[in-house]
Amino acid sequence: MLARLLAEGGWQATLSYAGRTEHPRAQPVPIRVGGFGGAEGLARYLREHGVTHLVDATHPFAPVISANAVLAAQLAGVPHIALTRPAWTATQGDRWHHVPDLAGALAALDGPPRRVMLALGRMHVEAFAARPQHHYLLRFVDAPAAPPSLPRYRLVVDRGPFTAEGDRGLMADHRIDLVLCKNAGGRGAEAKLLAARALGLPVLMIGRPILPERREVHDPEAVMRWLDHAMPAIAERGV
């Protein structure tokens, strides 16, 4: 949505992907794929391309990229803002157990076999080979180049948005008794939590990483207000 608002507002914007999604959705602004070479590389890119504003809209669990964005903006002297989803909070009917990180999640799974919906994407799946007693349900956006090394799993290749009703059916079909996910926040990925609540399933929730102090907003319109306030009189605008 932010890319559309930038295009409609006449901003010269470039959308940068880390490269983990093989077939990203079409966007109304130019895109680039790949890293920058750390904070100094990103700062160099900002200077060389005349970027006037930096918006960090990466996933809440991309702490290295977000920390690099904070430092790069400082090095390049470019205003910086983070567009991030508000974290989820448990409500009545939720059965959440909080762990601080992936290591905490692995420690919490040190027990009898369970049927676990591993809602982490494909980045961290291999770590769960250390808990081979469980049967894992995986859901990826793209089919992996090689099969996961987990001894017991089922893989679903699907792209959201997902619905609570659909996820409830998926969990019931696979007889899931535990959902493991990161506190990514936002409405688009909460279907699994609504489904778990409806089914009375426990959720193992990985907390967000600690990031450097930065300005944060939670909706694209707030980014646009920040941009318009920061540079209202300049015609050549770049993000």
Side-chain angles (χ1 to χ4, degrees):
M1 182 177 178
L2 178 58
R4 177 177 60 79
L5 292 175
L6 289 167
E8 292 173 354
W11 286 85
Q12 297 180 356
T14 299
L15 179 60
S16 177
Y17 285 106
R20 295 189 179 118
T21 300
E22 295 178 7
H23 305 290
R25 290 189 175 100
Q27 299 291 343
V29 298
I31 67 172
R32 68 172 299 280
V33 178
F36 293 94
E40 292 185 358
L42 176 54
R44 182 167 55 253
Y45 177 92
L46 298 176
R47 289 190 293 263
E48 291 177 351
H49 289 80
V51 174
T52 59
H53 294 75
L54 176 61
V55 180
D56 176 11
T58 54
H59 194 277
F61 283 81
V64 174
I65 297 174
S66 291
N68 284 344
V70 172
L71 179 55
Q74 295 172 352
L75 293 173
V78 171
H80 163 262
I81 197 169
L83 171 61
T84 187
R85 311 163 188 165
W88 293 314
T89 56
T91 61
Q92 185 175 3
D94 288 326
R95 299 172 56 198
W96 293 8
H97 175 65
H98 296 273
V99 292
D101 49 28
L102 185 63
L106 287 168
L109 289 179
D110 185 14
R114 308 186 73 171
R115 301 185 67 85
V116 181
M117 181 174 181
L118 197 61
L120 301 177
R122 62 183 180 179
M123 280 186 61
H124 303 295
V125 166
E126 296 303 316
F128 291 86
R131 296 289 181 261
Q133 71 271 34
H134 305 297
H135 185 284
Y136 296 99
L137 173 62
L138 313 176
R139 181 163 63 189
F140 295 171
V141 172
D142 302 303
S149 60
L150 304 175
R152 300 177 183 85
Y153 73 91
R154 288 293 301 274
L155 172 62
V156 174
V157 177
D158 197 3
R159 182 189 293 267
F162 303 108
T163 66
E165 181 181 3
D167 276 6
R168 193 163 62 243
L170 181 68
M171 293 176 191
D173 289 345
H174 290 271
R175 295 178 289 119
I176 297 301
D177 53 34
L178 174 69
V179 177
L180 196 165
C181 66
K182 299 174 179 178
N183 195 334
R187 298 292 301 274
E190 70 174 350
K192 55 184 172 287
L193 300 179
L194 300 176
R197 183 187 306 157
L199 294 170
L201 297 178
V203 174
L204 190 59
M205 182 69 71
I206 300 176
R208 291 188 173 185
I210 297 174
L211 295 173
E213 185 176 352
R214 60 185 185 168
R215 181 170 185 172
E216 293 185 359
V217 293
H218 298 310
D219 62 82
E221 291 82 1
V223 175
M224 299 305 298
R225 290 192 294 271
W226 173 77
L227 289 169
D228 288 336
H229 177 75
M231 212 166 76
I234 299 178
E236 292 293 331
R237 306 181 295 179
V239 180

